[in-house]
Amino acid sequence: MSHSTQPQPMTARRSGPLKGNALVPGDKSVSHRALILGALAVGETRITGLLESQDIIDTARAMEAFGATVERVGERVGEGEWRVQGVGVGGFSSPEAVIDCGNSGTGVRLIMGAMATTPITATFTGDASLSRRPMRRITGPLELFGAQVTAREGEFLPVTIQGAADPLPLRYHTPVASAQIKSAVLLAGLNAPGETVVIEAEPTRDHTERMLAGFGATIRTEITHEGHVITLTGRPELRPCTVAVPRDPSSAAFPVAAALIVPGSEIRVEGVSRNPTRDGLYHVLAEMGADLTWENDRTEGGEPVADLTVRHGPLHGVTVAPERAASMIDEFPILSVIAAFAEGSTVMNGVAELRVKESDRIDAMAVGLRANGARVEDTPDSMTVHGTGGLQGGATVATHLDHRIAMSFLAAGLVSERPITVDDASPIMTSFPDFVALMRALGADLG
Ligand code: S3P
């Protein structure tokens, strides 16, 4: 749902060493997909470890609006055990009301894909942040399947989609590295006859492909001279599954970063994803000299994970290879904070996609870091942070309805000379409702 709550300012102050175990919540990307594929399967899907954040609740409500039944098992919020009664591929019905996806780009884009090849009509809306984000990248390929789309100024929410009655399968090259585009096309391809093919030049997170295979779809990925070529056979009967959602590596990045920059810290984060389409940050941190110890490699919910111990220590600036960008796209805001506390410059190239996230993240980080004393340069597709080993702090930062901007500056304020305030911490509810409690339990001074 779109929120009309008052902004909730929050301040982070210099803290003693962070210590303890950080149990971060379920993965946001996997949680959206589990609900959507559960709704498209025939029968009951059980989901454990579901992220119970606002973005995911909005997707759950949307699946109900299309005809599925979605309910939490048991009374206790936060346990994350859910049941979905699916209606089958092609079984969605037209929602009676507008679908409000709140703050979630992943939610709205994947759901648009999932309904666009069924002859029903739906209108999608969202909050002020989502209403500024580009939708043509999704509605364009959906029109090629045969859907009819009306969008504000041809690009923005509200968007109304009349699903194709006679969809055509599609062979589609994604114009930018985006798992949301890839996933919307694959979900639309589920109810098209024949084979739908998505070709991406750079690999992006592959949870949709892994989960479709788990639900019984025929899907294969080949690496050719064109890039990653993903082929899905349409009109499968999806079998309901039990999905165990792994912990979210993008949420884990915040306590990890805080432990790296707060002197004397040592924390353990269990079950961090080692999926190569998600673990770019950890490679960059190792190159910066971070003290990271991985143990207990295993598979959880179909994803490779391990336990990570992080210790504070000196860090140095690096140049991040642009090929890494897709595997750490959500981690650049917190990397730019870590970079300010490193010695020397950290250069992040090929990151133009950051400008169309929940906020323009290059601008939000550059403005906020500068206000707190860092030297930062930015271009349309790059950001460079000149680290000095510390940050002055003392300023209030605008978070622009962006959870990751809020969490990044709250981590920075734990070690800056003067406190850092964010103008609104409420967007953190979209992805990491327990962030403040978890960080306080480690010793962070947030309030
Ligand atoms: C996501 C894909 C990424 C990421 C977003 C989640 C997903 O967006 O930024 O937070 O679950 O598919 P793009 O695919 O648009 O890069």
Side-chain angles (χ1 to χ4, degrees):
M1 273 185 293
S2 297
H3 320 284
S4 53
T5 52
Q6 293 293 336
Q8 293 167 16
M10 187 171 286
T11 300
R13 295 186 171 76
R14 206 165 239 254
S15 302
L18 304 181
K19 301 273 180 189
N21 245 337
L23 280 184
V24 302
D27 190 275
K28 184 151 70 73
S29 295
V30 175
S31 295
H32 282 295
R33 288 157 172 81
L35 289 169
I36 295 169
L37 288 187
L40 290 170
V42 180
E44 182 175 297
T45 286
R46 283 189 163 245
I47 309 171
T48 57
L50 189 82
L51 171 63
E52 294 186 340
S53 74
Q54 191 60 48
D55 279 8
I56 301 304
I57 301 300
D58 290 337
T59 287
R61 297 288 86 89
M63 291 302 96
E64 292 197 308
F66 282 102
T69 306
V70 183
E71 54 189 8
R72 187 194 299 120
V73 182
E75 291 302 311
R76 282 176 43 201
V77 180
E79 283 185 337
E81 194 174 335
W82 289 67
R83 242 190 321 241
V84 183
Q85 291 289 343
V87 293
V89 168
F92 277 178
S93 43
S94 291
E96 286 172 10
V98 169
I99 303 295
D100 186 345
C101 289
N103 190 253
S104 181
T106 307
V108 77
R109 291 173 172 145
L110 269 53
I111 297 167
M112 283 179 182
M115 59 72 61
T117 47
T118 300
I120 57 172
T121 301
T123 298
F124 297 87
T125 187
D127 71 4
S129 156
L130 193 56
S131 300
R132 285 190 290 266
R133 298 181 66 185
M135 294 298 151
R136 184 87 204 129
R137 53 177 56 198
I138 303 297
T139 57
L142 297 184
E143 283 174 337
L144 299 176
F145 278 103
Q148 286 179 34
V149 178
T150 316
R152 179 171 56 88
E153 295 169 30
E155 174 70 280
F156 302 107
L157 298 180
V159 167
T160 298
I161 299 184
Q162 203 180 321
D166 255 326
L168 305 162
L170 191 60
R171 184 177 170 84
Y172 193 70
H173 287 260
T174 55
V176 290
S178 165
Q180 293 177 356
I181 302 176
K182 169 177 67 179
S183 301
V185 172
L186 291 173
L187 291 171
L190 279 175
N191 201 32
E195 291 190 331
T196 285
V197 182
V198 182
I199 301 142
E200 48 181 11
E202 298 285 339
T204 61
R205 65 191 68 194
D206 61 358
H207 309 300
T208 303
E209 299 92 299
R210 286 173 187 256
M211 209 183 282
L212 277 169
F215 275 79
T218 301
I219 183 163
R220 61 176 194 278
T221 301
E222 293 148 306
I223 300 172
T224 74
H225 65 281
E226 291 184 295
H228 274 60
V229 181
I230 303 134
T231 305
L232 171 74
T233 304
R235 307 239 160 111
E237 180 167 309
L238 296 183
R239 288 189 305 259
C241 278
T242 298
V243 182
V245 179
R247 297 183 193 281
D248 196 321
S250 301
S251 297
F254 295 102
V256 165
L260 286 173
I261 61 179
V262 176
S265 297
E266 175 171 336
I267 69 161
R268 184 178 159 87
V269 193
E270 286 176 21
V272 177
S273 176
R274 309 224 69 192
N275 179 329
T277 64
R278 292 292 294 279
D279 71 351
L281 175 72
Y282 296 95
H283 292 285
V284 171
L285 293 178
E287 289 164 14
M288 295 176 85
D291 185 344
L292 307 175
T293 308
W294 295 95
E295 291 165 302
N296 304 328
D297 277 288
R298 60 195 182 276
T299 302
E300 275 180 10
E303 298 276 335
V305 301
D307 301 331
L308 174 61
T309 301
V310 188
R311 293 178 198 84
H312 168 262
L315 300 170
H316 54 83
V318 292
T319 295
V320 181
E323 310 83 74
R324 282 229 194 279
S327 67
M328 53 182 291
I329 195 66
D330 291 336
E331 281 65 81
F332 284 101
I334 191 63
L335 176 64
S336 68
V337 166
I338 299 169
F341 290 94
E343 293 286 351
S345 302
T346 293
V347 184
M348 298 163 254
N349 285 319
V351 293
E353 275 295 293
L354 296 183
R355 295 208 180 268
V356 290
K357 295 295 178 188
E358 285 83 330
S359 67
D360 175 340
R361 286 181 171 162
I362 296 180
D363 191 63
M365 290 310 299
V367 168
L369 284 170
R370 282 182 199 125
N372 284 287
R375 197 152 68 80
V376 182
E377 288 156 29
D378 68 295
T379 71
D381 72 344
S382 77
M383 176 161 53
T384 300
V385 179
H386 300 287
T388 56
L391 194 64
Q392 188 184 308
T396 296
V397 173
T399 56
H400 303 284
L401 289 177
D402 189 332
H403 53 133
R404 297 198 202 282
I405 302 300
M407 289 187 280
S408 295
F409 281 103
L410 290 174
L414 301 178
V415 63
S416 52
E417 287 159 39
R418 290 192 285 147
I420 294 180
T421 298
V422 296
D423 66 344
D424 189 8
S426 65
I428 296 172
M429 293 302 287
T430 63
S431 72
F432 196 164
D434 289 337
F435 171 77
V436 173
L438 181 148
M439 294 300 291
R440 282 185 184 145
L442 296 174
D445 184 348
L446 296 176

